Amino acid sequence: MAINYERNIKTFHLRTKKTSYILKVLESNHLSHLYWGKKINTNNLDYLIEENLWGSFLTNTDNIETFQLEATMQEYPGYGSTDLRSPAIELQFEDGSTTTDLRYDGYKIYKGKPSLEGLPSTYVENDEEAETLEIYLRDELKNVKVILTYNVFEDFDAITKSVKIINESEEHVNILRALSANVDFKEDDFDFIHLSGAWARERHVVRTSLRSGIQSIESRRGSSSHAQNPFMALARKGSNEQNGDVYGFSLVYSGNFLAGVEVDMYSKARAQIGINPFDFKWLLEKGEEFQAPEAVLVYSPNGLTGMSHIYNNLYGKRLCRGKYRDKARPILINNWEATYFDFNETNIKGIAKEASNLGIELFVLDDGWFGKRDDDTTSLGDWFVNEEKIKGGLGKLSKEINDMGLQFGLWFEPEMVSPSSELYRNHPDWCIHVPGRTRSTARGQLILDLSREEVCDYIIKSVSDVLENASISYVKWDMNRNMSEIGSLGLPPKRQRETAHRYMLGLYRILEEITTRFPEVLFESCSGGGGRFDPGMLYYMPQTWTSDDTDAIERLKIQFGTSLVYPSASMGCHVSAVPNHQVDRITPIETRGVVAMAGNFGYELDITKLTEEEKDAIKEQVKLYKEIRETVQFGDTFRLLSPFESNEVAWMNISKDKCEIVVSYVKQYAEPNKWNKPLKLIGIKDDDKYEVVGENMVLGGDELMNIGLIIPELKGDYAAKQWILKKYTHI
Ligand code: DGJ
């Protein structure tokens, strides 16, 4: 049993393969959190229930002098009573009051895991894969019910958590804050780790020590954003890649979020994650329900790598869906950095022809094929082909590209509208805006109001029409701006602050509908690169364009950070031209290949303009990646040397059956007169033996892990080396 309820002590014990999560109903019927961490045997942790603190300036709970909620580890604290730390929930009632008092009101345990209505979430393939605990809390005075749902994925070693609020009263209730998870820790000896950045330098790893007060990351941008990722970890002081306690919090959501920690007066940490309460308010009329997104909680005693493996596996296998979840992803070539908007069917076919000669499998036509779009000032929303550029239309072009032996893929940006478009002329009220205020553009565009059903229906229809009328096996779904002047003509004044979340619900409906209608199509999500690289999008689209920064050296940090949570198969990584278009750097083609092979491999340059040597190099890379892609995409990733800590960067991918290892090493800057330390591998069995392909060498797992691979002398800046190791089975 993954979930056990000990009736006499009113204690719930949730167990995964290696962890325990323990909750207790107190005498007062408050739900207390007692423990989360390495698996323990006991169910009885009553000795952890706090005594009151003398002279503490804390308020007595239920007017009992020895009981103070603020000194108690709580599971889902409400605002307004005697715990004055950050609440998980805050409601406002018809009388204007904001005090919420939630007490335990029962539970249910069952096998399996239901999906969350209208929201992305992890799933099970059969009911044996997870057990579910629902705990019911109730505000007696106001008749509001809260359901805390915990799903225990025993084998994946993860616990997911979501929250539903039901208004069972005769009055309306406003939700001001409804976070998805709250975890109280007895201590604060942690570092706060998050993935932060900006456009073209997303998900850099930031690690700082916890301190007194609130430390948080958030998005107010209407999407999960380039700036912050809906993820944080608390890593025990001294923990590192391989060792020590790490607690991960990840939110399956693509909109505004908050993830943070409050260290209180007694140096105890409260960690929280959920929809950002900033500019959020949700009206629950009598009888209505609100479902908050799912949080995925992961504990690892084996450092960051242990945590990453749990997220990578769970997200790869039980969040991503569809035909491509377990299928090797095609090597693609995208024309964006090759042509930008300046293309026609002739040069497109030229690139495709050359790509086919080099063994590439999929050609992707990026922005600029529709309406009158020759630059970024026009036509978003007008999803019909520009016949001046693509004579004969997409049906003909896609067929011709198929005839070259390539699949055909297409770019869309369906959530947007250009003021200069037929769609905007016909429906000027369909964008997010506040009447009377400026409709501020970004990249010349406005955002369609996906909180409105008819707008979503238009998107579903217009994208479906294109997909139905050409041979399209891949879609790149882009989104290139954040929200401003947030308001919806479809909502009454009292619901305006629901717009940003309703947008996400509309988007999720569109994605569910389109991905269900076109199950054969491989979808890649994108938001100016990695502006929406989050678990919410992965539920619909199994891969994401990691960043608009295609420079191999910049990518080291971006991909390293991304790998903390997201599987390699989800990371789109392309070899692009030099000098690089984002940073002007010149790197060797070999290094660009090694770095892009860390994920889902592809190209993004005009290959018709390359030298014969460069084409040969690409041909070799394509051949090699086809051989190793199962290992890269679906194996385990170990981060060996961090770009945030050293000039040398390394990682390895090992297949699940441990038969193949791909080791990648990049030395960013050349150093004179320096001996490179051998590169020690991780995660191999001592007794296994591996042949180092091309080097006439067989090494044992013990040697590879304790001595390491010898790094040859590499000349020049940005040099790379890759080793392929095959399990050696000869006696
Ligand atoms: C932003 C994307 O990240 C790029 O790859 C490209 O598709 C452009 N948009 C096209 O406008």
Side-chain angles (χ1 to χ4, degrees):
M1 285 283 280
I3 302 171
N4 171 273
Y5 178 59
E6 192 94 19
R7 199 167 294 275
N8 55 337
I9 50 170
K10 288 190 156 182
T11 297
F12 297 94
H13 191 156
L14 284 55
R15 289 184 179 85
T16 66
K17 207 161 47 183
K18 292 192 192 143
T19 75
S20 288
Y21 188 102
I22 302 178
L23 304 170
K24 179 181 172 73
V25 182
L26 302 178
E27 261 176 48
S28 59
N29 273 335
H30 287 101
L31 184 63
S32 176
H33 173 87
L34 293 185
Y35 176 78
W36 181 29
K38 207 166 196 163
K39 197 166 190 166
I40 54 175
N41 282 324
T42 184
N43 290 331
N44 191 339
L45 293 179
D46 282 1
Y47 59 90
L48 289 179
I49 297 167
E50 315 277 335
E51 286 295 309
N52 68 321
L53 290 154
W54 178 82
S56 60
F57 222 83
L58 301 187
T59 309
N60 298 330
T61 302
D62 292 345
N63 284 332
I64 300 169
E65 292 235 344
T66 54
F67 178 36
Q68 295 151 348
L69 267 188
E70 194 164 346
T72 303
M73 306 243 291
Q74 289 215 72
E75 182 60 14
Y76 200 66
Y79 174 75
S81 71
T82 56
D83 183 348
L84 305 184
R85 296 170 291 178
S86 304
I89 181 169
E90 182 180 6
L91 305 176
Q92 184 172 37
F93 302 98
E94 233 176 64
D95 60 9
S97 69
T98 50
T99 296
T100 310
D101 186 359
L102 295 174
R103 309 279 174 132
Y104 175 77
D105 192 31
Y107 77 98
K108 189 166 139 192
I109 296 173
Y110 51 91
K111 281 185 187 288
K113 177 183 194 293
S115 54
L116 297 192
E117 216 189 307
L119 284 168
S121 62
T122 54
Y123 60 89
V124 289
E125 288 205 323
N126 63 65
D127 283 353
E128 300 305 315
E129 286 184 354
E131 242 175 66
T132 296
L133 164 67
E134 290 179 7
I135 296 186
Y136 310 120
L137 304 176
R138 175 173 292 282
D139 185 306
E140 207 55 62
L141 180 70
K142 297 297 185 182
N143 230 343
V144 171
K145 178 175 179 177
V146 173
I147 305 178
L148 308 182
T149 301
Y150 302 81
N151 315 103
V152 182
F153 284 87
E154 199 170 353
D155 290 339
F156 281 98
D157 228 351
I159 296 175
T160 63
K161 160 115 195 266
S162 63
V163 175
K164 187 186 263 187
I165 302 169
I166 306 168
N167 179 5
E168 294 184 343
S169 74
E170 296 299 312
E171 303 183 345
H172 74 250
V173 175
N174 276 304
I175 302 171
L176 305 181
R177 182 176 177 108
L179 299 182
S180 297
N182 177 96
V183 178
D184 283 0
F185 292 87
K186 280 198 164 307
E187 60 277 304
D188 70 342
D189 58 334
F190 295 111
D191 289 333
F192 180 40
I193 297 180
H194 49 100
L195 303 174
S196 304
W199 173 79
R201 47 185 172 80
E202 301 90 337
R203 291 175 301 289
H204 285 203
V205 180
V206 179
R207 181 170 183 156
T208 51
S209 186
L210 281 190
R211 53 171 169 72
S212 176
I214 296 175
Q215 292 116 97
S216 61
I217 51 160
E218 64 180 327
S219 171
R220 303 171 174 185
R221 312 186 70 86
S223 71
S224 51
S225 89
H226 299 89
Q228 305 291 351
N229 198 258
F231 158 80
M232 68 171 178
L234 294 186
R236 187 82 65 190
K237 288 270 175 219
S239 63
N240 54 30
E241 268 294 340
Q242 299 293 317
N243 301 299
D245 291 339
V246 177
Y247 295 85
F249 299 79
S250 164
L251 190 69
V252 187
Y253 190 57
S254 315
N256 293 337
F257 73 92
L258 172 71
V261 186
E262 178 173 3
V263 175
D264 71 10
M265 298 187 281
Y266 307 103
S267 302
K268 291 191 283 185
R270 168 170 285 178
Q272 302 185 320
I273 194 163
I275 290 185
N276 197 346
F278 177 84
D279 198 35
F280 169 84
K281 184 160 129 183
W282 192 277
L283 175 64
L284 272 192
E285 298 283 9
K286 169 184 160 192
E288 283 183 349
E289 305 180 347
F290 178 81
Q291 176 66 62
E294 178 170 282
V296 180
L297 309 182
V298 166
Y299 162 75
S300 154
N302 306 116
L304 287 166
T305 303
M307 177 201 73
S308 298
H309 285 178
I310 298 172
Y311 278 124
N312 291 178
N313 286 332
L314 183 70
Y315 285 176
K317 296 297 174 202
R318 294 295 179 270
L319 179 67
C320 290
R321 301 177 296 169
K323 174 180 160 182
Y324 277 94
R325 184 188 73 182
D326 305 323
K327 199 169 152 38
R329 312 288 166 78
I331 300 175
L332 66 80
I333 184 156
N334 179 304
N335 76 307
W336 179 242
E337 287 197 14
T339 64
Y340 295 102
F341 293 103
D342 187 15
F343 62 82
N344 54 40
E345 91 273 4
T346 311
N347 58 6
I348 286 304
K349 282 192 276 186
I351 295 174
K353 184 86 208 124
E354 196 59 63
S356 159
N357 293 339
L358 300 180
I360 293 169
E361 298 159 312
L362 163 68
F363 175 85
V364 180
L365 181 59
D366 210 280
D367 194 355
W369 57 267
F370 53 92
K372 297 189 170 56
R373 187 131 163 125
D374 287 323
D375 56 34
D376 62 14
T377 61
T378 172
S379 300
L380 292 170
D382 297 347
W383 299 110
F384 38 83
V385 73
N386 179 345
E387 294 248 7
E388 279 171 30
K389 279 180 162 176
I390 314 280
K391 295 203 175 59
L394 290 172
K396 180 164 171 283
L397 179 67
S398 58
K399 168 91 181 41
E400 285 169 345
I401 285 185
N402 288 166
D403 290 345
M404 294 174 194
L406 291 167
Q407 295 172 25
F408 179 73
L410 196 61
W411 178 97
F412 288 89
E413 194 177 355
E415 298 160 60
M416 299 290 150
V417 61
S418 306
S420 159
S421 66
E422 275 185 31
L423 181 66
Y424 192 74
R425 280 186 287 279
N426 293 337
H427 299 284
D429 63 326
W430 272 17
C431 62
I432 287 187
H433 70 284
V434 176
R437 302 222 176 258
T438 306
R439 299 177 180 196
S440 304
T441 53
R443 210 191 186 216
Q445 62 201 52
L446 298 165
I447 305 183
L448 285 171
D449 182 357
L450 270 52
S451 71
R452 292 172 67 175
E453 212 173 320
E454 65 275 38
V455 179
C456 296
D457 290 342
Y458 169 80
I459 293 176
I460 293 168
K461 182 169 184 330
S462 52
V463 173
S464 299
D465 283 351
V466 177
L467 296 185
E468 269 155 15
N469 290 301
S471 167
I472 296 170
S473 22
Y474 162 105
V475 165
K476 177 174 172 187
W477 186 289
D478 205 350
M479 195 283 277
N480 280 304
R481 67 158 291 182
N482 292 141
M483 290 181 188
S484 62
E485 296 100 20
I486 301 173
S488 169
L489 280 199
L491 294 170
K494 60 187 177 184
R495 288 193 182 272
Q496 285 299 310
R497 289 175 83 179
E498 297 175 12
T499 308
H501 180 59
R502 285 190 183 274
Y503 177 95
M504 294 318 308
L505 297 178
L507 173 64
Y508 291 146
R509 175 169 83 84
I510 294 171
L511 298 182
E512 183 67 30
E513 179 71 34
I514 292 182
T515 53
T516 310
R517 268 192 210 183
F518 301 95
E520 298 299 316
V521 173
L522 170 60
F523 287 87
E524 175 156 341
S525 112
C526 173
S527 173
R532 217 165 46 182
F533 201 138
D534 60 58
M537 294 306 288
L538 275 187
Y539 180 70
Y540 303 98
M541 307 193 172
Q543 58 194 61
T544 303
W545 178 224
T546 309
S547 176
D548 272 349
D549 194 335
T550 57
D551 174 67
I553 300 304
E554 289 291 303
R555 274 294 184 119
L556 292 170
K557 286 186 174 150
I558 296 169
Q559 294 172 188
F560 186 97
T562 306
S563 76
L564 250 58
V565 183
Y566 305 100
S568 331
S570 68
M571 282 198 288
C573 307
H574 300 172
V575 171
S576 62
V578 287
N580 172 267
H581 292 195
Q582 291 77 40
V583 294
D584 238 22
R585 187 180 278 128
I586 297 179
T587 50
I589 184 112
E590 292 75 24
T591 304
R592 283 176 272 154
V594 167
V595 175
M597 284 188 211
N600 205 324
F601 190 60
Y603 290 86
E604 184 144 347
L605 73 172
D606 189 346
I607 47 175
T608 62
K609 299 204 173 115
L610 298 182
T611 63
E612 285 312 309
E613 291 77 58
E614 286 171 317
K615 285 183 197 167
D616 287 346
I618 291 182
K619 206 170 198 167
E620 283 306 307
Q621 288 173 348
V622 168
K623 187 164 161 269
L624 173 65
Y625 189 73
K626 284 178 184 168
E627 285 164 19
I628 62 171
R629 68 176 147 193
E630 295 273 350
T631 298
V632 171
Q633 294 176 2
F634 304 117
D636 290 321
T637 305
F638 287 87
R639 294 174 292 268
L640 304 176
L641 296 172
S642 161
F644 298 99
E645 290 163 14
S646 96
N647 185 32
E648 296 165 278
V649 184
W651 63 96
M652 60 177 265
N653 308 95
I654 178 164
S655 59
K656 290 280 183 198
D657 62 7
K658 299 204 185 279
C659 283
E660 186 174 66
I661 307 175
V662 180
V663 184
S664 306
Y665 169 91
V666 178
K667 185 161 187 169
Q668 302 185 72
Y669 302 104
E671 294 167 299
N673 193 22
K674 182 135 188 261
W675 182 72
N676 295 320
K677 293 189 187 92
L679 182 61
K680 293 191 178 66
L681 307 191
I682 312 173
I684 317 174
K685 288 193 189 129
D686 276 342
D687 297 337
D688 283 350
K689 297 219 172 311
Y690 289 89
E691 180 194 347
V692 186
V693 175
E695 300 199 6
N696 196 21
M697 229 181 177
V698 175
L699 296 173
D702 49 359
E703 290 166 89
L704 288 164
M705 291 193 292
N706 296 303
I707 300 171
L709 288 165
I710 302 300
I711 299 165
E713 196 183 356
L714 299 170
K715 293 270 187 215
D717 289 343
Y718 321 126
K721 164 89 183 145
Q722 194 173 49
W723 295 263
I724 312 296
L725 277 64
K726 301 256 188 213
K727 195 152 169 191
Y728 188 74
T729 45
H730 303 266
I731 311 156

